[in-house]
Amino acid sequence: MLVKVIEVEHYTDQLFRIRTERPRSFRFTAGEFTMIGLPDTNITRAYSFTSGPGDDYIEFYSIKVPNGPLTSALQHIQAGDSLEVSERTTGTLTLANIELGADLWLLATGTGIAPFVSILRDPSTYDCFENIHVYWSVRKAEELQSYDSFLQEMPVKYTATVTQDPSWQGHSKRITTFIRAGQIVPNLEPSEHKIMICGNLDFNKEVADMFDGWGFKEGNRKQAGTFVQEKAFVEK
């Protein structure tokens, strides 16, 4: 379907956000992704929604890949332009794929924060867990501009960590270091903690392997588990 772009915001020379109108008939679940592209091209890529399922707009968060098949053109999109958005939505990072209750840990690197923003924009999320913890790791502090204020305002325990910026005064350790130090999922008890993972493929695999080795079970559309990861991210 073609939707009209209503807002574009560029945060850095590598990161931007697109917001479009939302047809009344369009439905998706928080945490899902869909395929988007530009009209009259055959290039589409998977993008997680950052908008919530009840919002009256559709929103996506994107990197700008140098010479990227899609983003080399997509980064120039403006309000009033059209965006092709598939009506088919899917994804593993939904509450249907994870056991509910106890504490939820949302672990993200870079633009992997996108599906978690959607999940946190769904009011029903907060009825499903006792506490929600968000860890978001980026390389430079400026990369936090997009959703840092939003995350600080939400009823969650939010920790930002910046790994490659000498000017940053806050946490600078990698998320895996927090996990090994016991600051994330402190007692490694699957009945008390549920984990969602979204970042680059190396991060996803490393964290998933850690929790799998500690007795956590990966969830999918057939059976809910105690952790889930997103596997759909490719070069844009």
Side-chain angles (χ1 to χ4, degrees), residues 82-121:
S82 294
L83 186 70
E84 183 73 42
V85 178
S86 172
E87 296 185 58
R88 182 178 182 273
T89 66
T90 188
T92 53
L93 293 179
T94 66
L95 298 191
N97 294 338
I98 198 163
E99 295 177 8
L100 305 182
D103 280 20
L104 175 65
W105 299 79
L106 306 178
L107 311 180
T109 64
T111 55
I113 196 65
F116 298 152
V117 172
S118 178
I119 288 169
L120 295 175
R121 281 175 162 163

Coordinates of all heavy atoms in Angstrom, one line a residue, residues 82-121:
S82 N 5.5 9.7 -1.1 CA 4.8 8.4 -0.8 C 5.8 7.4 -0.4 O 7.0 7.3 -0.9 CB 4.0 8.0 -2.0 OG 2.9 8.9 -2.2
L83 N 5.4 6.4 0.5 CA 6.2 5.3 0.9 C 5.4 4.0 0.7 O 4.2 4.0 1.0 CB 6.6 5.4 2.4 CG 7.5 4.4 2.9 CD1 8.9 4.6 2.3 CD2 7.6 4.5 4.4
E84 N 6.0 3.0 0.1 CA 5.4 1.7 -0.1 C 5.5 0.9 1.2 O 6.7 0.7 1.6 CB 6.0 1.0 -1.3 CG 5.3 -0.3 -1.6 CD 4.0 -0.1 -2.3 OE1 3.8 0.8 -3.1 OE2 3.0 -0.9 -1.9
V85 N 4.4 0.5 1.8 CA 4.4 -0.3 3.0 C 3.6 -1.5 2.8 O 2.4 -1.5 2.5 CB 3.9 0.5 4.2 CG1 3.8 -0.3 5.5 CG2 4.7 1.8 4.5
S86 N 4.2 -2.7 3.0 CA 3.5 -3.9 2.9 C 2.4 -4.1 4.0 O 2.7 -3.7 5.1 CB 4.5 -5.1 3.0 OG 3.8 -6.3 3.0
E87 N 1.3 -4.6 3.6 CA 0.3 -4.9 4.6 C 0.5 -6.2 5.4 O -0.2 -6.4 6.3 CB -1.1 -4.9 3.9 CG -1.5 -3.6 3.2 CD -2.9 -3.6 2.6 OE1 -3.8 -3.9 3.4 OE2 -3.0 -3.4 1.4
R88 N 1.5 -6.9 5.0 CA 1.8 -8.2 5.7 C 2.8 -7.8 6.8 O 3.9 -7.3 6.5 CB 2.4 -9.2 4.7 CG 2.8 -10.5 5.4 CD 3.3 -11.5 4.4 NE 3.6 -12.8 5.1 CZ 4.8 -13.1 5.7 NH1 5.7 -12.2 5.7 NH2 5.0 -14.3 6.3
T89 N 2.5 -8.1 8.0 CA 3.4 -7.8 9.1 C 3.7 -9.1 9.8 O 2.9 -10.1 9.9 CB 2.7 -6.9 10.1 OG1 1.6 -7.5 10.7 CG2 2.3 -5.6 9.4
T90 N 4.9 -9.2 10.4 CA 5.3 -10.4 11.1 C 6.5 -10.1 12.1 O 6.9 -8.9 12.2 CB 5.8 -11.5 10.1 OG1 6.0 -12.7 10.8 CG2 7.0 -11.1 9.4
G91 N 7.0 -11.1 12.7 CA 8.1 -10.9 13.6 C 8.1 -11.7 14.9 O 7.0 -12.2 15.3
T92 N 9.2 -11.9 15.5 CA 9.3 -12.7 16.7 C 9.2 -11.9 18.0 O 8.9 -12.5 19.0 CB 10.6 -13.5 16.7 OG1 11.7 -12.6 16.5 CG2 10.7 -14.5 15.6
L93 N 9.5 -10.6 17.9 CA 9.5 -9.8 19.1 C 8.1 -9.3 19.5 O 7.9 -8.1 19.6 CB 10.4 -8.6 18.9 CG 11.9 -9.0 18.8 CD1 12.7 -7.7 18.5 CD2 12.4 -9.7 20.0
T94 N 7.2 -10.2 19.7 CA 5.9 -9.9 20.2 C 5.6 -10.6 21.5 O 6.2 -11.6 21.8 CB 4.8 -10.3 19.2 OG1 4.8 -11.7 19.1 CG2 5.1 -9.7 17.8
L95 N 4.6 -10.1 22.2 CA 4.3 -10.7 23.5 C 3.7 -12.1 23.4 O 3.7 -12.9 24.3 CB 3.4 -9.8 24.3 CG 3.9 -8.4 24.7 CD1 3.0 -7.7 25.6 CD2 5.3 -8.4 25.2
A96 N 3.2 -12.4 22.2 CA 2.6 -13.7 22.0 C 3.7 -14.8 22.0 O 3.4 -16.0 22.2 CB 1.9 -13.8 20.6
N97 N 5.0 -14.4 21.7 CA 6.0 -15.4 21.6 C 6.9 -15.5 22.9 O 7.8 -16.3 22.9 CB 7.0 -15.0 20.5 CG 6.3 -15.1 19.1 OD1 5.3 -15.8 19.0 ND2 6.8 -14.3 18.1
I98 N 6.5 -14.8 23.9 CA 7.3 -14.8 25.2 C 6.3 -15.1 26.3 O 5.2 -14.6 26.3 CB 8.1 -13.6 25.4 CG1 9.2 -13.8 26.4 CG2 7.2 -12.4 25.7 CD1 10.3 -12.7 26.3
E99 N 6.8 -15.8 27.3 CA 6.0 -16.1 28.5 C 5.8 -14.7 29.3 O 6.7 -13.9 29.4 CB 6.7 -17.1 29.4 CG 6.8 -18.5 28.8 CD 7.5 -19.5 29.6 OE1 7.8 -19.1 30.8 OE2 7.8 -20.6 29.2
L100 N 4.6 -14.5 29.8 CA 4.3 -13.3 30.5 C 4.6 -13.4 31.9 O 4.7 -14.5 32.5 CB 2.9 -12.9 30.2 CG 2.5 -12.8 28.7 CD1 1.0 -12.3 28.6 CD2 3.4 -11.8 27.9
G101 N 4.6 -12.3 32.6 CA 4.8 -12.3 34.1 C 6.2 -12.0 34.4 O 7.2 -12.0 33.6
A102 N 6.5 -11.7 35.7 CA 7.8 -11.4 36.2 C 8.4 -10.2 35.6 O 7.7 -9.3 35.2 CB 8.7 -12.6 36.1
D103 N 9.7 -10.1 35.4 CA 10.4 -9.0 34.9 C 10.7 -9.2 33.4 O 11.1 -10.3 33.0 CB 11.7 -8.7 35.6 CG 11.5 -7.9 36.9 OD1 10.4 -8.0 37.4 OD2 12.5 -7.3 37.4
L104 N 10.6 -8.1 32.6 CA 10.9 -8.1 31.2 C 12.2 -7.3 30.9 O 12.2 -6.2 31.4 CB 9.7 -7.6 30.3 CG 10.0 -7.4 28.8 CD1 10.2 -8.8 28.2 CD2 8.8 -6.7 28.2
W105 N 13.1 -7.9 30.2 CA 14.3 -7.2 29.9 C 14.4 -6.9 28.3 O 14.4 -7.9 27.6 CB 15.6 -8.0 30.3 CG 15.6 -8.2 31.8 CD1 14.9 -9.1 32.5 CD2 16.4 -7.5 32.8 NE1 15.2 -9.0 33.9 CE2 16.1 -8.0 34.0 CE3 17.3 -6.4 32.7 CZ2 16.7 -7.5 35.2 CZ3 17.9 -6.0 33.8 CH2 17.6 -6.5 35.1
L106 N 14.5 -5.7 27.9 CA 14.6 -5.3 26.5 C 16.0 -4.9 26.2 O 16.4 -3.9 26.7 CB 13.6 -4.2 26.1 CG 12.1 -4.5 26.5 CD1 11.3 -3.3 26.2 CD2 11.6 -5.7 25.8
L107 N 16.7 -5.7 25.5 CA 18.2 -5.5 25.2 C 18.4 -5.1 23.8 O 18.2 -5.9 22.9 CB 19.0 -6.7 25.6 CG 18.7 -7.3 27.0 CD1 19.5 -8.6 27.2 CD2 18.8 -6.3 28.1
A108 N 18.9 -3.9 23.5 CA 19.0 -3.4 22.1 C 20.3 -2.7 21.9 O 20.9 -2.1 22.8 CB 17.9 -2.4 21.8
T109 N 20.8 -2.9 20.6 CA 21.9 -2.1 20.2 C 21.5 -1.3 18.9 O 20.7 -1.8 18.1 CB 23.1 -2.9 19.8 OG1 22.8 -3.8 18.7 CG2 23.6 -3.8 20.9
G110 N 21.9 -0.1 18.8 CA 21.6 0.7 17.6 C 20.2 0.9 17.3 O 19.3 1.1 18.2
T111 N 19.8 0.7 16.0 CA 18.4 0.8 15.6 C 17.6 -0.4 16.1 O 16.4 -0.4 15.8 CB 18.3 0.9 14.1 OG1 19.0 -0.1 13.5 CG2 18.9 2.3 13.6
G112 N 18.2 -1.3 16.8 CA 17.4 -2.4 17.3 C 16.5 -2.0 18.4 O 15.6 -2.8 18.9
I113 N 16.6 -0.7 18.8 CA 15.6 -0.2 19.8 C 14.2 -0.1 19.2 O 13.2 0.0 19.9 CB 16.1 1.2 20.3 CG1 15.3 1.6 21.6 CG2 16.0 2.3 19.3 CD1 15.6 0.7 22.8
A114 N 14.1 0.0 17.9 CA 12.9 0.3 17.2 C 11.7 -0.6 17.6 O 10.6 -0.1 18.1 CB 13.0 0.1 15.7
P115 N 11.7 -1.9 17.6 CA 10.6 -2.7 18.0 C 10.2 -2.5 19.5 O 9.0 -2.7 19.9 CB 11.0 -4.2 17.7 CG 12.4 -4.1 17.7 CD 12.8 -2.8 17.1
F116 N 11.2 -2.2 20.3 CA 10.9 -2.0 21.7 C 10.2 -0.7 22.0 O 9.4 -0.6 22.9 CB 12.2 -2.1 22.5 CG 13.0 -3.4 22.4 CD1 14.3 -3.4 22.5 CD2 12.3 -4.6 22.2 CE1 15.0 -4.6 22.5 CE2 12.9 -5.8 22.1 CZ 14.3 -5.8 22.2
V117 N 10.4 0.3 21.1 CA 9.7 1.5 21.2 C 8.2 1.3 20.9 O 7.3 1.7 21.6 CB 10.2 2.6 20.3 CG1 9.3 3.8 20.2 CG2 11.6 3.0 20.7
S118 N 7.9 0.4 19.9 CA 6.6 0.0 19.6 C 5.9 -0.7 20.7 O 4.8 -0.4 21.1 CB 6.6 -0.8 18.3 OG 5.3 -1.3 18.0
I119 N 6.7 -1.6 21.3 CA 6.1 -2.4 22.5 C 5.8 -1.5 23.6 O 4.8 -1.7 24.3 CB 7.2 -3.5 22.8 CG1 7.2 -4.6 21.8 CG2 6.8 -4.1 24.2 CD1 8.3 -5.6 21.9
L120 N 6.7 -0.5 23.9 CA 6.4 0.4 25.0 C 5.4 1.4 24.7 O 4.9 2.1 25.6 CB 7.8 1.1 25.4 CG 8.8 0.1 25.9 CD1 10.1 0.9 26.1 CD2 8.4 -0.6 27.2
R121 N 5.0 1.6 23.5 CA 3.9 2.5 23.1 C 2.5 1.7 23.1 O 1.5 2.3 22.9 CB 4.1 3.0 21.7 CG 5.1 4.2 21.7 CD 5.4 4.7 20.3 NE 6.0 6.0 20.3 CZ 6.7 6.6 19.3 NH1 6.8 5.9 18.2 NH2 7.2 7.8 19.5

